[in-house]
Amino acid sequence: MRGDAVRGLQQRLKVQGFLKGKVDGVFGPNTQAAVKAAQRKYQQQPNGIVDASLWMTLLR
């Protein structure tokens, strides 16, 4: 995936310290690793899939 939605996700992940790479709008390996790290921190299954629960947690 790629685009503005991914860019928004990456910005949230970066602000919260999960994304170490750049915000480029591409859901690649770095973004997936950041999603998994966030899922582990928030006690969700670390599957790399951004569901509504994770998204709402990141928006807080």
Side-chain angles (χ1 to χ4, degrees):
M1 291 189 70
R2 61 181 64 229
D4 290 337
V6 175
R7 187 171 278 108
L9 169 66
Q10 289 173 325
Q11 288 170 342
R12 282 295 196 182
L13 291 167
K14 188 148 187 97
V15 165
Q16 294 185 26
F18 297 112
L19 182 65
K20 306 302 181 203
K22 61 183 178 175
V23 174
D24 60 4
V26 178
F27 195 103
N30 289 338
T31 303
Q32 187 175 38
V35 167
K36 287 180 179 180
Q39 288 171 322
R40 283 190 290 277
K41 178 176 180 177
Y42 297 119
Q43 299 174 352
Q44 298 179 8
Q45 182 178 346
N47 58 14
I49 298 170
V50 181
D51 61 11
S53 176
L54 179 63
W55 186 240
M56 294 307 294
T57 300
L58 291 173
L59 289 175
R60 288 188 207 155

